[in-house]
Structures are given as C-alpha cells and as structure tokens.
C-alpha cells in the first residue's frame, strides 16, 4: 500500500485571513464563535481519520488566530490540526450544479456539517452559510462566485465547488467543470429538470464529466420522485440508475431505501431541531410496510437488470456465479459495477433526500466517494508531457485587498510548493508563489506542498488569470513541448504539438453594456485598477474604452451581472461609480454586396507612402473563406497580406449602422498597389477605410440578440403573461403543464426584456419565476431597425 504524502498544517488562518474578499467581516460577526469551535471539531475529525490508516504519518503544528475578530482573545484557539493528503485514488474533485434555488448551497452546508467542518447548520434563508460568503450572496441569498471547499469523508478528500445557478453566471459553472472530475446535479424534486439544469448538464457533457443526481426537497409539498425520474429521462436524455427509493414524499418523507445494500435508512421526524446526524439503518426484511417492501424488491431487480445490461463483468456474475440467488451478489461487486457505469457515463446514479430537513446527505457523501471518479480515473495527454514536473491550471482568480490576487489551481502533475517560483505558460513569465492554501470555505489552512490531483488556493501570483497554465519553469515547459512534439509526430497530431497551454474556458460574448464613470477624474485610476482586478477574477466581464468619448464601458452577461459588478466596486473598492443606461450589444451584417476603391497618399518625413486598394464586401456563405484574393492579384499580395488582413479585421469591430461588431461578412480583395517603402500601418489604414466605404453602400442589416425565456407561473396569470410577451415582440413556442403551474417557453428580443424581472414580479404578485439565456442573433425587421436608429439619433 502506498504511503500517502503528508503535509502539515502550518497555521490556521481563519482569524487573520479576511476571507477571499475583505468584506467578509459579516461572516465573522455571525459565525466567529462557531469558527473557533469548528477548529476543534475539525481537528478531532481529522485525527480520527488519521488513525484509521496505519500507514499514515501525521505532523501537527500549532497555529494561532492573531487578531482580526472583534472581541476575540488572542491565542484562545487550539488549532492543532493535521492535514493528511490522501492517495490520489481517494481524492474527489466534485462540482455541485443545478438550477437556481435547487438547494446546492444547503446541501453543501450539510456536507460540511456532517464531515465535521462546521459546528452549526448554516441556512441560506438566515444568510449564514459558509460557502455563500460574499456580502452580496448573503443579502441576495444566491451563490455568485464558486466557493471551493475542501473536506474529508470516510478517508477521502473531497474538493467541492458550489457553483451558481443564475444564468448570468454560467461562465462560473463552466470554469469549475473544466477542472472537476465528477459532479452532483441537484434537483428540486417538486420541479424535476428545470431550464438551467439543462444548460449545466450540456456543459458537463461537453467536458465529459461523470455525474450523479440528487433529488433534493423530497420533503416539499408537491415533491414527486417518479415525475423527477421521468424528466431526467425525457429532458436530459439520461439513463437514471435508481440507487434509492424515498420512504414517503412531501410532509411524510422520512427516509430512504438503499437498493444497493437493501437497507432502510430513517431519520427522526419528531423535531425540526434534529440535525440528522444520527439515523436508523435496518435490513429491508424488517420493513413493516408491505407495499414499500414490494416496490423495493421490484426496483432492486430492475437495477440489477440495468447494471447487467450496461456492464459485461457484472452480467457474467449474474449469469454464472450468482445465477441461483441474486441476493448473494456481494455489495462491493455491485458498487464496483455502478462505479464503472458512472465513469463510462452510460448511466447516472440517482439518490434522493432533503438537505433542509437533514435527510439523505450522508448517503450522498458515501455515493460520491464510491461512484465518482478520482483524478487517477481521468487521463490527459499533457500529463505525460510533464511527467513528474508541475503542471497546473488556474481556474479562478479572486481578489483580496490585502493579499492581492489569489488563484485557485488544479494540479495535474508534479507537486506545488509554497515559497516557490512558477512559470506561467500563457503569459510567458515567471512568478513567485508565496503561500499555498487549502480552502475550507471562509477558513483557509496554509500548507507547504500539495501533490497532483488536488485543488488549492495560491497567494502571490499577480499576473495569472483564469485559464492560465502554470508549470515549474520555462525549461520544464520547453521539455514538455519537445515531448509533445515527439508525441504529435508519432500520432501525426499537429494540435498536440502546439497545445502546451491547457484549454481555457470558452467565454460567451457579453450581451449588455453600459458606461461607467468614477465619482471624480482623480478617481479614474482607482476605477481602472478595480476593473482590472475584477476582470482577472471574472473573464466574462469585458471593459472597453469608447474611442470617441474616452468613457469606460462595462460589458456583461446580464442585468444582474452588471449590477453585481457595480455593487462590488462600491463595497470592495470604496468607489461610488455612475452607470449609464444599460444598452444591448447588437451586431451587424450585410444582405447584399458592394465594391469600393480607395487611395491613401501622404508624405511621412521624407518618404512618400501610397496605397491603392479595391475590394468587395459580400454576405458570407457557410463554406466560403472570410477573406478571398482575386485571381488577378500576385500571390501573397507582395508581402502585404498580414497588413491587409489586419485592416479588414479591425473594420469588423465597427459596423456602418450602429458601430456594432460585424458578422457573416466576406471580403474579396481585387487590388492592392503599394509604393515601395510604404509602412504596413498605412496599408492597414487604407484597407480599413476602403472597407468602411464598401460597407456604407452595401445592404446593411442590424442583428439583435434573441433570448430563450422560460417562465413558470400559476394558471391564473397565464393570459396576462402571454399578452405581455406578445407586446414584447415575443415568439411563443410552447406552453407546458407542471402540476398546478404553467410553463411558457418563448423567444424574445433582449431589447424588450429590460427590467422584465420587476415587471413580471408585479404582474404575478411575485409568484412567477423565469430563466433567460442567449439563443441567437436575428435580423431586425425594417420598421424596428429604423425606430432603433431614430432612437439613437442615427437616422
Ligand atoms: N423544502 C425544502 N427547501 C429546501 C431544501 N433545500 C434547500 N431548500 C430551500 O431552497 C432555497 C434555495 O436553497 P439554496 O441552498 O440557496 O439553493 P441554491 O441552489 O444554492 O441556490 P443558488 O445558489 O441561488 O443557485 C432556500 O430557501 C432553502 O432553504 C430542501 O431539502 N427542502
């Protein structure tokens, strides 16, 4: 048995460390007494887990809280805490993903509580959860930033990332999925699969993340186990493997039947105060309810059949060794088969419970360790290029006012060490990392080194942004490049030779923008600095400068996104900024082509610079290249090709109608005559001017963002919601029934949805909910296009 590497906790930073963001004082206020006690319970828990493995050696170092907490007595915290880094096979890097409000945060809180990392149960509704620790998150009761949490369960290290459900923050979800090995999809069992679940499910598919489902809120009136299972089949097109059956639904929900071990698990329903830590486990034969027993037997037979269908090894066990009595199949063999199926993504295990009522979370934790992959189960080409050298991916940057940027990394190979220099492949620079931290939600434990497979938080990397690849040195990157090159030659895979940089996350184009102004000119540099830090953290936030007015422009994924950024600049950077009206990010295209020519002729110093260009713009068809050169042109345009294409691309940024980016426009270059000695910049400028000329006379068209809207409301409001959608130029696709509710699916131009949440709330007395995502860009009709141009004073 491999001896696990041991790392020692050097200091518990809970007191001095003001959270990932400085305004974290609120958590200390509501939880600091808890924080101190937690340290005890965590130590005990870890000590317990230490003693279960005889090969583990531990090193415990005394740390101390030093100030930072109001009313806190220095030195009264016993932070004797040993951190064992388990073998890689016992690490689980897991994401929790779901539709907004499905209960991810509540479930995470319960996990932390049962694993001994918190002393009290946090409650989203009371604003005292551990993972939602930004002030805005506490106030709004939603998760904005993924908070990574590390904890141990049954000798396993679980690195868990609580991801936000709101569509404005899907980049956060995708960023987490990129580095996770497995995921738990949490559902509201009264709603089944909801709109955002579909989006995150698709994202998890894209990154081939094995996952399991947790049907939460089984206690809620209207909770329907069977309905939720059907919606997983129908909407997610997934194959559910039912590992549990609920005992009761809604108010009568009291526990679960474990179809793998054939036991019933029941929690006390006597008191709401019960923390669910203890529950009763009985063999199924002791179950009094005959109907339930029968259903459990049937569900178990179905489960065995499904597993045999999907796993040959298990099928042969069933047909040969245990054909006489399937009940004799050892639980471990069944679990191993479920694990293989989950990793192969041929089915998804389904569990259920109620996080709020403290039922079913411990079996979920067991299932995570049993069925979801360890880093060893996931292989990547680049791991062989780096061998034992460090290779890590920065997947999130957060900014702390005192410590500067702090970077979450996933280590793929080699060890990451505190107080060491690392090389950032994307930025081509060497940086010094001062500290390495294990993130226990708002508490941080400093460690000296971490082996591959882990997720850690680093301090000191100032240039690193989300998506950057970090290795030990430039020499190590070069050696990896050579190995990648050889591998690429062998496999004739050109891509692998270039691909030293681990793929980052695709960031969707922002659909909203607005100007942002500092309170005074003197504060402009502070605002620029705040925006620079926020952009390092949040790659979906774009900042531009208006070339005419010089004003700063914020571009974001939605109204809420921009609102949160505004709020954070105020709270975290102490700047009261002014936002201009929110505007839509339109695009432009052309419906018919046009040809133009232009000449630039000027003296620069003693040199005459002269270029004549003739080109044609045309609607781009799917199979033609964006830039074509007419046959009459000399090949390579006499060495000016790059300058010509720079000129073309720069003119794509400002369309002729609104100055919005152009799409689906092709160019044919007919003539480029350049006087020798003319600079490349002048060639690009002439091409760009000629492009603008041609575009002006082409058939111009504005494209507007169309949103896919899903609204859930009581039947009484259906008529008024539909009438309102039609007024907003909405195209209604479908009206579905969901128990007593109606669900409307529609496509609506984004321009018509400004302030929709407030309008919908007042029209339905706050009872309706909706989700919104960008569907595509569509041409505006002539009338709407003209009225938009008039509104902007452009017609
Ligand atoms: N009845 C019931 N309510 C629950 C349960 N779990 C969570 N809730 C409630 O559902 C609401 C949302 O819970 P959260 O844990 O914040 O959900 P979330 O998925 O993290 O939400 P976002 O981070 O905003 O996406 C809160 O009011 C919770 O108290 C449950 O098991 N049963």
């Amino acid at each position: 048995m491999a001896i696990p590497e041991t790392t020692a906790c050097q200091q518990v930073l809970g007191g001095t460390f003001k959270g990932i963001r400085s305004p974290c004082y609120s958590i200390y206020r509501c939880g600091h007494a808890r924080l101190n006690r937690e340290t005890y319970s965590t130590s005990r828990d870890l000590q317990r887990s230490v003693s279960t493995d005889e090969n583990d050696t531990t090193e415990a170092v005394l740390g101390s809280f030093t100030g930072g907490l109001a009313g806190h007595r220095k030195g009264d915290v016993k932070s004797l805490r040993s951190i064992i880094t388990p073998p890689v096979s016992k690490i689980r890097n897991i994401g929790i993903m779901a539709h907004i409000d499905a209960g991810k945060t509540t479930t995470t809180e319960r996990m932390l509580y049962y694993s001994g990392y918190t002393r009290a149960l946090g409650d989203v509704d009371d604003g005292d959860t551990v993972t939602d620790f930004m002030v805005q998150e506490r106030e709004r009761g939603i998760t904005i930033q993924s908070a990574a949490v590390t904890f141990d369960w049954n000798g396993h290290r679980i690195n868990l990332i609580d991801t936000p459900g709101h569509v404005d923050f899907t980049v956060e979800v995708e960023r987490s999925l990129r580095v996770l090995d497995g995921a738990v999809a949490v559902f509201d069992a009264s709603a089944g699969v909801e709109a955002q679940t579909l989006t995150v499910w698709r994202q998890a598919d894209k990154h081939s993340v094995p996952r399991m489902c947790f049907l939460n809120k089984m206690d809620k009136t209207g909770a329907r186990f069977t309905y939720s299972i059907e919606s997983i089949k129908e909407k997610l097109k997934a194959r559910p493997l039912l590992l549990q059956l609920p005992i009761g639904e809604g108010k009568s929900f009291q526990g679960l039947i474990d179809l793998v071990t054939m036991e019933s698990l029941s929690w006390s329903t006597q008191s709401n105060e019960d923390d669910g830590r203890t529950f009763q486990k009985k063999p199924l034969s002791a179950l009094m309810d005959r109907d339930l027993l029968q259903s459990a037997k049937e569900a178990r037979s179905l489960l065995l059949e499904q597993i045999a269908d999907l796993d040959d090894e298990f099928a042969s066990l069933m047909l040969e060794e245990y054909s006489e009595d399937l009940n004799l199949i050892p639980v471990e063999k069944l679990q191993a088969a479920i694990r293989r199926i989950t990793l192969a993504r041929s089915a998804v295990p389904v569990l259920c419970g109620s996080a709020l009522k403290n039922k079913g979370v411990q079996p979920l934790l067991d299932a995570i360790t049993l069925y979801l992959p360890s880093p060893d189960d996931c292989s990547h080409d680049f791991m062989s290029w780096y061998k034992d050298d460090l290779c890590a991916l920065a997947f999130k940057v957060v900014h702390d006012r005192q410590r500067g940027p702090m970077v979450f990394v996933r280590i793929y190979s080699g060890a990451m060490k505190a107080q060491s220099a690392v090389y950032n492949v994307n930025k081509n620079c060497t940086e010094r990392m001062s500290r390495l931290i294990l993130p226990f939600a708002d508490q941080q434990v400093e460690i000296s080194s971490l082996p591959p497979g882990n997720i850690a938080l680093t301090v000191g990397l100032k240039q690193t942004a989300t998506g950057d690849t970090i290795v030990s040195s430039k020499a190590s990157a070069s050696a990896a490049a050579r190995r990648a090159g050889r591998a690429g030659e062998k496999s004739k895979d050109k891509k692998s030779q270039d691909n030293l940089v681990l793929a980052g996350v695709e960031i969707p184009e922002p659909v909203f923008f607005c100007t942002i102004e500092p309170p005074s000119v003197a504060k402009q540099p502070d605002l620029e600095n705040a925006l620079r830090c926020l952009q390092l953290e949040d790659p979906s936030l774009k900042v531009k400068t208006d070339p005419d007015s010089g004003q700063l422009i914020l571009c974001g994924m939605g109204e809420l996104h921009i609102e949160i950024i505004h709020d954070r600049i105020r709270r975290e950077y102490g700047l009261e900024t002014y936002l201009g009206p929110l505007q839509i990010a339109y695009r432009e295209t052309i419906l018919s082509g046009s040809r133009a020519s232009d000449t630039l002729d000027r003296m620069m110093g003693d040199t005459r610079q002269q270029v004549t260009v003739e080109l044609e713009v045309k609607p781009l068809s799917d199979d033609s290249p964006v830039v074509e050169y007419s046959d009459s042109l000399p090949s390579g345009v006499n060495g000016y090709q790059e300058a010509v294409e720079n000129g073309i691309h720069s003119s794509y940024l400002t369309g002729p109608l609104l100055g919005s980016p152009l799409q689906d426009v092709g160019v044919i270059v007919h003539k480029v005559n350049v006087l020798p000695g003319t600079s490349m910049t002048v060639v690009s400028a002439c091409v760009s001017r000629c492009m603008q000329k041609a575009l002006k006379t082409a058939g111009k068209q504005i494209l507007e963002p169309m949103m896919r809207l899903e609204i859930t409301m009581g039947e009484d409001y259906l008529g008024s919601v539909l009438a309102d959608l039609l007024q907003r130029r909405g195209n209604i696709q479908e009206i579905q029934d969901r128990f007593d509710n109606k669900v409307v699916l529609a496509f609506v131009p984004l321009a018509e949805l400004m302030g929709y949440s407030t309008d919908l709330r007042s029209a339905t007395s706050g009872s309706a909910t909706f989700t919104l995502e960008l569907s595509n860009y569509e041409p505006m009709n002539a009338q709407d296009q003209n009225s938009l141009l008039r509104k902007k004073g452009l017609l």
Side-chain angles (χ1 to χ4, degrees):
M1 184 184 188
I3 297 181
E5 190 171 325
T6 302
T7 44
C9 152
Q10 294 165 331
Q11 193 185 15
V12 176
L13 295 171
T16 47
F17 190 81
K18 302 248 187 209
I20 285 174
R21 269 191 189 77
S22 38
C24 247
Y25 55 81
S26 66
I27 198 167
Y28 295 145
R29 245 191 289 123
C30 62
H32 96 254
R34 190 180 92 207
L35 218 64
N36 295 354
R37 287 195 305 271
E38 269 163 32
T39 315
Y40 272 134
S41 84
T42 306
S43 324
R44 274 206 314 272
D45 201 68
L46 284 162
Q47 294 290 1
R48 252 201 321 275
S49 74
V50 170
S51 60
T52 56
D53 191 337
E54 61 202 18
N55 285 326
D56 288 345
T57 49
T58 63
E59 193 185 328
V61 180
L62 256 178
S64 64
F65 282 106
T66 49
L69 301 180
H72 167 71
R73 276 184 295 124
K74 203 173 167 185
D76 68 355
V77 174
K78 295 77 188 167
S79 54
L80 184 70
R81 187 198 286 204
S82 307
I83 301 291
I84 291 183
T85 302
V88 180
S89 62
K90 295 203 166 181
I91 296 176
R92 299 287 178 273
N93 292 316
I94 302 302
I96 292 207
M97 53 189 216
H99 186 81
I100 189 160
D101 274 359
K104 300 179 298 293
T105 309
T106 311
T107 308
T108 307
E109 288 295 317
R110 283 359 182 218
M111 290 178 171
L112 289 175
Y113 179 73
Y114 296 130
S115 57
Y117 286 82
T118 51
R119 195 73 192 277
L121 284 169
D123 191 331
V124 203
D125 303 317
D126 297 340
D128 64 353
T129 60
V130 171
T131 46
D132 280 358
F133 53 87
M134 278 167 69
V135 176
Q136 292 94 330
E137 291 181 329
R138 281 159 187 277
E139 280 181 2
R140 290 164 201 256
I142 57 163
T143 308
I144 296 164
Q145 298 231 353
S146 309
V149 196
T150 296
F151 59 91
D152 293 347
W153 183 258
N154 277 354
H156 289 71
R157 162 73 40 87
I158 300 182
N159 292 311
L160 187 142
I161 295 199
D162 180 34
T163 52
H166 194 285
V167 74
D168 282 9
F169 306 106
T170 43
V171 175
E172 286 278 331
V173 182
E174 188 144 343
R175 207 183 300 170
S176 321
L177 286 173
R178 175 70 188 77
V179 294
L180 293 173
D181 303 318
V184 177
V186 176
F187 300 78
D188 175 342
S190 71
V193 174
E194 296 174 88
Q196 183 67 4
T197 329
L198 265 166
T199 312
V200 289
W201 196 267
R202 279 197 296 263
Q203 286 172 323
D205 277 339
K206 186 168 140 195
H207 293 279
S208 310
V209 176
R211 66 214 88 140
M212 57 171 57
C213 300
F214 180 59
L215 303 182
N216 187 34
K217 304 199 182 182
M218 280 304 303
D219 65 294
K220 199 172 148 184
T221 314
R224 303 277 194 288
F225 183 74
T226 319
Y227 167 80
S228 300
I229 298 292
E230 285 308 312
S231 78
I232 290 174
K233 280 190 212 161
E234 269 173 37
K235 296 192 179 165
L236 302 179
K237 309 281 177 246
R239 197 190 304 226
L241 274 189
L242 301 198
L243 304 190
Q244 297 173 340
L245 284 187
I247 306 180
E249 278 177 347
K251 283 203 167 54
S252 65
F253 176 66
Q254 46 177 295
L256 315 162
I257 291 176
D258 185 330
L259 297 172
V260 178
T261 59
M262 288 304 269
E263 287 168 326
S264 74
L265 317 182
S266 47
W267 279 261
S268 157
T269 44
Q270 298 305 308
S271 132
N272 273 344
E273 299 303 308
D274 194 308
D275 70 0
R277 200 183 275 278
T278 53
F279 54 92
Q280 259 195 340
K281 242 185 202 185
K282 285 188 197 154
L284 212 53
S285 49
L287 209 63
M288 300 307 284
D289 184 332
R290 295 289 114 194
D291 288 346
L292 195 57
L293 183 59
Q294 187 53 31
S295 310
K297 284 183 177 160
E298 286 166 14
R300 158 103 172 176
S301 305
L302 191 69
L303 176 68
L304 296 187
E305 255 174 53
Q306 265 184 307
I307 296 175
D309 272 352
L310 296 167
D311 186 81
D312 290 347
E313 200 176 324
F314 188 78
S316 49
L317 277 183
M318 250 175 92
L319 295 173
E320 292 158 21
E321 217 174 318
Y322 299 98
S323 57
E324 300 286 297
D325 186 352
L326 297 181
N327 288 327
L328 296 180
I329 298 177
V331 168
E332 296 72 33
K333 301 251 184 219
L334 188 51
Q335 287 169 338
I338 297 171
R339 181 177 170 77
R340 287 192 295 272
I341 290 171
T342 313
L343 299 199
R345 292 184 294 120
S346 33
V348 277
V350 180
L351 296 96
C352 63
S354 160
L356 188 69
K357 302 288 179 198
N358 311 321
K359 297 180 177 69
V361 177
Q362 298 95 324
L364 173 65
L365 280 166
D366 291 342
I368 288 173
T369 61
L370 283 169
Y371 308 127
L372 288 181
S374 78
D376 273 347
D377 296 310
C378 317
S379 73
H380 302 276
D381 283 354
F382 56 81
M383 285 158 75
S384 63
W385 306 336
Y386 285 95
K387 296 194 163 169
D388 292 334
D389 264 358
L390 171 69
C391 174
L393 180 76
F395 67 96
K396 187 174 168 68
V397 178
V398 291
H399 200 268
D400 176 72
R401 252 198 288 181
Q402 272 133 32
R403 287 158 202 269
M406 299 179 63
V407 183
F408 280 90
V409 292
R410 158 79 198 256
I411 308 167
Y412 286 95
S413 65
M416 194 157 220
K417 296 192 177 72
Q419 305 286 353
S420 66
V422 289
Y423 176 70
N424 182 324
V425 181
N426 304 63
K427 300 276 158 40
N428 187 18
C429 70
T430 299
E431 293 204 82
R432 192 161 178 81
M433 182 173 48
S434 55
R435 291 166 170 201
L436 197 57
I437 287 167
L438 277 182
F440 289 85
D442 61 332
Q443 294 182 81
Q444 322 281 329
V445 177
E446 199 169 326
I447 43 165
S448 54
S449 91
L450 260 188
N454 278 286
I455 279 174
L457 188 54
T458 63
V459 183
L461 301 179
K462 297 205 165 46
Q463 310 287 326
T464 303
T466 298
D468 286 356
T469 301
I470 293 170
V471 301
S472 57
S473 65
K474 196 167 183 172
S476 151
S478 309
R482 282 195 296 278
R483 279 181 213 121
R486 283 199 292 273
E489 262 164 38
K490 260 189 219 152
S491 65
K492 303 270 182 277
D493 176 7
K494 173 80 183 73
K495 222 172 112 214
S496 75
Q497 298 173 39
D498 307 332
N499 198 11
L500 267 194
V501 175
L502 312 185
V505 170
E506 242 174 70
I507 310 291
E509 276 301 307
V511 284
F512 275 112
F513 66 93
C514 67
T515 56
I516 180 163
E517 280 179 27
S520 65
V521 179
K523 294 278 181 194
Q524 177 85 11
D526 292 349
L527 175 59
E528 283 171 12
N529 177 50
L531 289 172
R532 200 181 50 77
C533 296
L534 288 168
Q535 272 187 287
L536 266 189
E537 292 178 25
D538 175 0
S540 61
L541 169 71
K542 301 257 160 62
V543 181
K544 296 196 278 200
T545 308
D546 184 311
D548 300 325
S549 64
Q551 275 181 311
L552 285 172
I553 298 173
L554 277 188
C555 311
M557 307 305 299
E559 280 181 284
L560 181 62
H561 187 202
I562 292 203
E563 206 185 301
I564 299 281
I565 294 293
H566 185 217
D567 200 27
R568 288 187 60 192
I569 293 173
R570 181 169 65 80
R571 289 179 195 262
E572 295 169 31
Y573 297 88
L575 287 171
E576 204 60 64
T577 53
Y578 306 105
L579 293 187
L582 214 50
Q583 298 185 50
I584 308 286
Y586 291 97
R587 291 196 187 160
E588 296 179 36
T589 191
I590 53 172
L591 301 177
S592 60
S594 168
R595 193 163 169 153
S597 64
D598 203 351
T599 300
L600 242 176
D601 188 351
R602 64 170 65 137
M603 289 298 290
M604 284 173 93
D606 295 340
T607 333
R608 181 158 187 207
Q609 311 254 329
Q610 192 191 59
V611 196
T612 299
V613 176
E614 188 174 335
L615 51 75
E616 185 184 339
V617 290
K618 54 165 195 162
L620 189 67
S621 55
D622 278 350
D623 44 359
S624 58
V626 177
V627 183
E628 291 172 71
Y629 292 91
S630 141
D631 293 341
S632 55
L633 271 175
S635 68
V637 209
N638 282 335
Y640 290 104
Q641 188 168 343
E642 197 182 335
V644 169
E645 289 181 9
N646 282 345
I648 292 172
H649 289 134
S650 74
S651 57
Y652 276 145
L653 301 176
T654 35
L657 285 169
L658 292 170
S660 308
L662 282 173
Q663 71 174 43
D664 303 331
V665 175
V667 183
I668 305 173
V669 182
H670 290 287
K671 187 201 265 174
V672 185
N673 287 348
V674 184
L675 195 69
T678 304
S679 81
M680 297 295 178
T681 327
V682 172
V683 176
S684 298
C686 182
V687 170
S688 187
R689 210 169 71 170
C690 187
M691 278 286 290
Q692 298 298 340
K693 227 168 150 182
L695 287 165
K696 272 212 173 84
T697 51
K700 301 176 286 285
Q701 172 68 52
I702 297 177
L703 302 171
E704 65 175 336
M706 291 297 286
M707 307 305 283
R708 186 183 179 283
L709 182 63
E710 181 176 321
I711 315 159
T712 308
M713 79 221 85
E715 192 160 3
D716 295 353
Y717 297 110
L718 181 63
S720 57
V721 167
L722 290 180
D724 178 60
L725 284 179
L726 292 176
Q727 288 231 327
R728 293 175 190 266
R729 298 192 279 132
N731 178 355
I732 292 148
Q733 297 287 300
E734 211 181 324
I735 302 171
Q736 300 172 346
D737 289 310
R738 190 176 290 160
F739 304 119
D740 301 337
N741 285 328
K742 293 281 176 193
V743 180
V744 174
L745 303 178
F747 291 102
V748 187
L750 178 62
E752 304 291 340
L753 290 171
M754 294 282 203
Y756 186 63
S757 66
T758 318
D759 296 350
L760 184 70
R761 205 178 306 131
S762 60
T764 61
S765 310
S767 64
T769 55
F770 74 98
T771 58
L772 193 66
E773 67 177 329
L774 178 65
S775 161
N776 59 320
Y777 275 81
E778 274 192 13
M780 291 180 95
N781 67 37
Q783 199 187 344
D784 292 335
Q785 177 161 315
N786 286 342
S787 72
L788 174 68
L789 290 170
R790 257 194 298 277
K791 214 162 94 190
K792 294 194 173 274
L794 296 168
L795 202 69

